[in-house]
Amino acid sequence: MSVGRRSGSRNRRRQVSEDERAVAAQAYQTSVSRLRHTAHRNMRQTVAYATIFVAVMATWMIFIGQPTPTTFPWYAISILSGAFGLSTYLVREPHPRRYVLAAAVVFAVVGVTGIFVTD
């Protein structure tokens, strides 16, 4: 048995005024908004880092002489995806940044797919 608890105390709620409830709701909405903003920023950065990584690997493969004449355009497209991934940090407006990031992802997918298909 728990000491100091009355039976039924779990069901009792503290009475709050409408002002306190509105302040609590506003604090909750602010907290959720910050969490969403941080999550979206982290996701954008992770995707941009992935396209940059693909470009670095494609550049490395070019320097060591891996591409053939049939795979070279796909390596170039992969490098272009990294350029778009880097440019997401230069674009400050949210909508154009999404388009640049989407282009980076498309170029990365097309480039890597082309490399594997032609290899």
Side-chain angles (χ1 to χ4, degrees), residues 57-67 72 75-76 79:
M57 294 307 294
T59 304
W60 176 252
M61 298 302 274
I62 288 174
F63 279 134
I64 64 171
Q66 180 69 25
F72 184 77
Y75 282 96
I79 293 170

Side-chain angles (χ1 to χ4, degrees), residues 8-25:
S9 65
R10 186 179 302 172
N11 294 332
R12 292 185 192 173
R13 293 188 178 165
R14 185 173 75 89
Q15 298 297 324
V16 295
S17 68
E18 290 297 321
D19 292 336
E20 290 175 334
R21 186 169 296 171
V23 168

Side-chain angles (χ1 to χ4, degrees), residues 5-66:
R5 291 186 97 184
R6 288 178 275 161
S7 65
S9 65
R10 186 179 302 172
N11 294 332
R12 292 185 192 173
R13 293 188 178 165
R14 185 173 75 89
Q15 298 297 324
V16 295
S17 68
E18 290 297 321
D19 292 336
E20 290 175 334
R21 186 169 296 171
V23 168
Q26 182 63 33
Y28 175 77
Q29 288 174 350
T30 304
S31 176
V32 169
S33 175
R34 278 186 291 174
L35 178 65
R36 286 185 67 217
H37 176 73
T38 303
H40 285 127
R41 186 185 67 224
N42 290 342
M43 183 65 180
R44 284 191 306 266
Q45 286 180 346
T46 303
V47 171
Y49 290 153
T51 60
I52 293 166
F53 177 75
V54 167
V56 167
M57 294 307 294
T59 304
W60 176 252
M61 298 302 274
I62 288 174
F63 279 134
I64 64 171
Q66 180 69 25

